[in-house]
Amino acid sequence: MLDESELTQLVAAAQAGDGASLEHLLTKLRPLVMRRCARFLPHLADAEEAAQDALLSVSTHLHEYGGRGSFVGWVTVIASNAARSTYRSMRRRAELSHAVLPEGVDPRTTSVIAGTRIDLMEALTALERQHPALVESFVLRDLGDLTYLQVAETLDAPLGTVKDRIHQARRFMRDRLADGV
């Protein structure tokens, strides 16, 4: 488990230019980032690629974290975005290669894109396209495992607004996944 006070100290030291603290911070964050990426990309190599991108982004943009909201929430947003970006990149490559599903498999749950959850990712893409304001709250709560309060703090939004967005997103995702569309 991540100790908040230790994270706060590591973040401050890393932001001040301490390379050893940055390395230690990234080492501490790696399991969390891997878990988040694996929620989107269950194939280990895909999740590792996304986690590596996320950790690079954390180290590159650490100076932008200003302490508003939880640090873990901030990292969760970065990890979720990296996983979604990795998925989109793999999907484009698969489309360009004209990959075809083998016979006898359900295309909603089987992927030609190295084990990703096509059904979930397609539904998230549709949610983002039709209701962009709902995506981040949903991803942080249901895929990032943050509490409602942590999501509200991370997004700097009222708790009631966050709960409503998550409720609407869940309803959309449930309908979308049930229909298989």
Side-chain angles (χ1 to χ4, degrees):
M1 205 66 187
L2 298 172
D3 177 7
E4 275 297 318
S5 64
E6 182 184 11
L7 278 181
T8 301
Q9 291 172 352
L10 286 172
V11 168
Q15 286 177 323
D18 182 354
S21 292
L22 177 61
E23 282 299 317
H24 188 61
L25 176 65
L26 295 175
T27 300
K28 287 278 209 193
L29 293 175
R30 186 164 179 29
L32 167 77
V33 170
M34 270 299 295
R35 280 192 307 275
R36 298 304 183 238
C37 291
R39 300 280 304 252
F40 290 93
L41 305 161
H43 188 266
L44 182 61
D46 299 339
E48 286 176 343
E49 178 182 336
Q52 205 49 30
D53 290 345
L55 290 170
L56 177 62
S57 187
V58 166
S59 68
T60 304
H61 299 281
L62 187 60
H63 66 280
E64 295 172 16
Y65 175 70
R68 193 187 88 219
S70 79
F71 180 71
V72 170
W74 184 75
V75 170
T76 298
V77 170
I78 291 172
S80 299
N81 289 340
R84 293 171 64 207
S85 177
T86 298
Y87 167 78
R88 285 191 289 269
S89 174
M90 291 185 316
R91 180 177 174 187
R92 279 191 300 275
R93 286 192 305 255
E95 287 171 352
L96 290 174
S97 72
H98 305 292
V100 179
L101 284 174
E103 287 189 37
V105 297
D106 182 350
R108 291 176 294 137
T109 58
T110 304
S111 174
V112 295
I113 310 172
T116 62
R117 289 287 316 272
I118 286 181
D119 53 344
L120 175 63
M121 297 306 287
E122 291 298 324
L124 271 173
T125 299
L127 177 64
E128 188 171 38
R129 190 173 43 251
Q130 294 177 29
H131 307 286
L134 306 180
V135 175
E136 202 164 21
S137 296
F138 173 77
V139 167
L140 290 173
R141 174 67 189 119
D142 286 4
L143 299 175
D145 290 331
L146 296 183
T147 66
Y148 289 106
L149 188 56
Q150 289 172 321
V151 173
E153 288 172 355
T154 299
L155 299 179
D156 196 25
L159 184 59
T161 300
V162 166
K163 287 181 176 182
D164 182 59
R165 288 176 181 167
I166 293 167
H167 174 73
Q168 290 179 53
R170 284 176 177 163
R171 186 174 55 232
F172 178 89
M173 295 294 285
R174 183 175 42 248
D175 292 349
R176 183 82 182 191
L177 291 170
D179 292 343
V181 180

